[in-house]
């Protein structure tokens, strides 16, 4: 494990118990400059993980509770007329921070959901005809309830595609749950966390991730995965070139975290279900809760060159 990442993982492990794989994936997602979607049942620690990540990495943090009456201006900000100056003054919304937690993102209407599209893709927002840049680094961490829950609006494929990874936490194992029940309140522990990294150090690590080598044979493997997803009958739609780039970026981050200067096929397989699970679906079906199974199926069907 990379020497700078090890304390981050250790600190997060004190807050979110028994979920080492999910924590590694979340860290890899941020190192790859991606956005993270955490989908699971209420009460399993989705919001806690997002808040702990921001605190551990020393990043500015804003939480937006998505509800059915949320408006785009509640996220992006709005211009307010100032009678003293006779002009409009822009009041930035919560998106102008380094980590935005879009809590229960699928409880808001598609109009409110779409307010994040430009921010996630371009790291900027356009309001009143003026483009405003967002901080560096900038991450969106969204939590989502299962689509079969009452009061949810499914995210369209174009919105899902903006997330580099989608992970699930699941119920804790008995030992972790016992430690959770017997321990301190998680909110208190998060409040007492000291940052392990600085924003500048995180940006530097992201630059190192981009330098991780990908051999021609590794690119062949990724391309074979993309091609198989487009031709196999069990997938309703194949993976796009953007999905292939996302897979490579996530695999570079995973290799970097584990101290490797080049990506191995095992790195691709480690991140594959989380990167493609929300992009794949069965014929005639939309991406669904638990669809990481399709990512594992794809990995099993394509041989390593």
């Amino acid at each position: 494990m990379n020497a700078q990442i090890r304390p981050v993982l250790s600190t997060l492990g004190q807050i979110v118990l028994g979920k080492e794989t999910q924590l590694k994936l979340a860290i890899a997602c941020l190192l790859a400059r991606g956005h993270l979607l955490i989908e699971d049942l209420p009460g399993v620690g989705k919001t806690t993980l997002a808040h702990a990540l921001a605190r551990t990495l020393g990043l500015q943090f804003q939480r937006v509770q998505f509800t059915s009456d949320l408006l785009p201006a509640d996220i992006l900000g709005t211009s307010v007329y100032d009678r003293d100056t006779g002009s409009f003054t822009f009041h930035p919304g919560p998106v102008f921070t380094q980590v935005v937690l879009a809590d229960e993102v699928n409880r808001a209407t598609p109009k409110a959901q779409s307010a994040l599209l430009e921010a996630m893709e371009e790291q900027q927002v356009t309001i009143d005809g003026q483009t405003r840049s967002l901080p560096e680094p900038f991450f969106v961490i969204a939590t989502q309830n299962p689509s079969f829950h009452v009061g949810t609006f499914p995210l369209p494929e174009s919105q899902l595609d903006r997330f580099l990874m989608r992970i699930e936490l699941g119920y804790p194992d008995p030992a972790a749950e016992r430690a959770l029940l017997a321990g301190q309140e998680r909110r208190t522990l998060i409040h007492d966390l000291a940052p392990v990294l600085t924003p500048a150090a995180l940006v530097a690590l992201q630059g190192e991730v981009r330098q991780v080598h990908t051999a021609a044979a590794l690119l062949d493997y990724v391309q074979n995965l993309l091609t198989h997803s487009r031709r196999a009958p069990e997938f309703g739609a194949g993976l796009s070139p953007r999905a292939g780039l996302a897979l490579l970026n996530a695999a570079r981050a995973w290799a970097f975290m584990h101290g490797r200067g080049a990506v191995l096929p095992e790195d691709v397989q480690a991140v594959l279900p989380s990167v493609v699970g929300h992009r794949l679906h069965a014929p005639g079906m939309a991406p669904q809760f638990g669809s990481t199974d399709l990512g594992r199926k794809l990995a099993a069907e394509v041989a390593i060159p």
Side-chain angles (χ1 to χ4, degrees), residues 9-24:
L9 183 62
S10 175
T11 301
L12 289 173
Q14 298 171 21
I15 305 297
V16 182
L17 305 177
K19 301 295 178 182
E20 183 176 355
T21 299
Q22 289 91 331
L23 295 179
K24 286 183 177 180

Side-chain angles (χ1 to χ4, degrees), residues 80-89 91:
V80 178
Y81 182 72
D82 188 334
R83 288 186 298 177
D84 295 334
T85 62
S87 61
F88 285 88
T89 302
H91 293 258

